[in-house]
Amino acid sequence: MGHTRWLDDEEQRTWRAFLAAQRLVSEKVERRLQSGAGMPQAYYEILVRLSEAPERTLRMSVLADSALSSRSRVSHAVARMEEAGWIERRSCPTDRRGQLANLTDRGFEVLAGAAPDHVESVREAVFDGLTPAQQAGLREACEAVVAHLSGGGEWPVTRDSGPDGPSPAQAS
């Protein structure tokens, strides 16, 4: 085994502050979204991704990648939201193996109803505690971490680069 690059005191302090901030923000936003809209953050994220997609439709693989989640976890969440009438799943017309997730009008209404309180919780948890300069620094730091860990790829993911072929946007 190679030489361990231990964190120095400042790095340790930064790491622990990052962990605490991430956990506290996630917990506050998740709790408020659950109590206000009756859905977990993961469902909200899926609805948002679909609402921003052309024709409110994404390949399931692209949806999973853009939500930073496993395909099986997204498939389970989509199945639950399908039962609620928020999402419809259908076969991809250009690839028999692929599936598309489509945000229904009902799902869009649910998202639109949840969005104002969700945005307010994000504002309270993150932006109200930071100056504009700190917000810019946070964005730059987060973008650098994302670029480092994702190989500098497109973010958020909007097209399928995997074995399932092109996304609906690419196929049209």
Side-chain angles (χ1 to χ4, degrees):
M1 190 179 265
H3 173 72
T4 301
R5 298 182 312 142
W6 296 106
L7 301 179
D8 65 27
D9 289 344
E10 283 302 306
E11 291 169 329
Q12 187 68 253
R13 187 172 169 208
T14 300
W15 172 243
R16 290 181 180 178
F18 170 79
L19 283 179
Q22 182 268 326
R23 288 176 182 159
L24 289 168
V25 168
S26 292
E27 181 181 305
K28 178 179 178 67
V29 170
E30 177 80 29
R31 188 178 30 225
R32 186 140 158 202
L33 193 54
Q34 281 281 7
S35 68
M39 77 174 81
Q41 175 68 27
Y43 288 19
Y44 185 86
E45 180 72 18
I46 289 169
L47 296 176
V48 167
R49 296 291 179 200
L50 289 172
S51 76
E52 295 172 343
E55 299 177 34
R56 299 193 294 199
T57 301
L58 286 173
R59 266 185 181 274
M60 291 290 289
S61 57
V62 174
L63 186 56
D65 290 347
S66 70
L68 294 176
S69 190
S70 71
R71 291 181 186 193
S72 63
R73 182 170 285 162
V74 166
S75 182
H76 177 74
V78 166
R80 299 288 305 265
M81 289 187 279
E82 235 180 337
E83 292 171 7
W86 301 353
I87 294 176
E88 293 174 339
R89 202 175 347 193
R90 62 182 187 270
S91 296
C92 178
T94 60
D95 178 4
R96 289 184 303 180
R97 295 177 303 141
Q99 284 200 317
L100 302 175
N102 176 254
L103 181 64
T104 65
D105 290 341
R106 174 69 184 128
F108 190 80
E109 289 172 11
V110 168
L111 176 61
D117 192 51
H118 176 69
V119 170
E120 188 59 34
S121 74
V122 169
R123 181 169 298 289
E124 290 171 4
V126 178
F127 296 100
D128 287 353
L130 299 175
T131 66
Q134 290 169 323
Q135 291 174 27
L138 177 62
R139 182 186 62 254
E140 288 175 20
C142 290
E143 287 173 349
V145 170
V146 168
H148 172 69
L149 294 177
S150 69
E154 177 183 344
W155 192 257
V157 176
T158 58
R159 67 186 95 218
D160 193 354
S161 59
D164 290 343
S167 71
Q170 290 175 306
S172 54

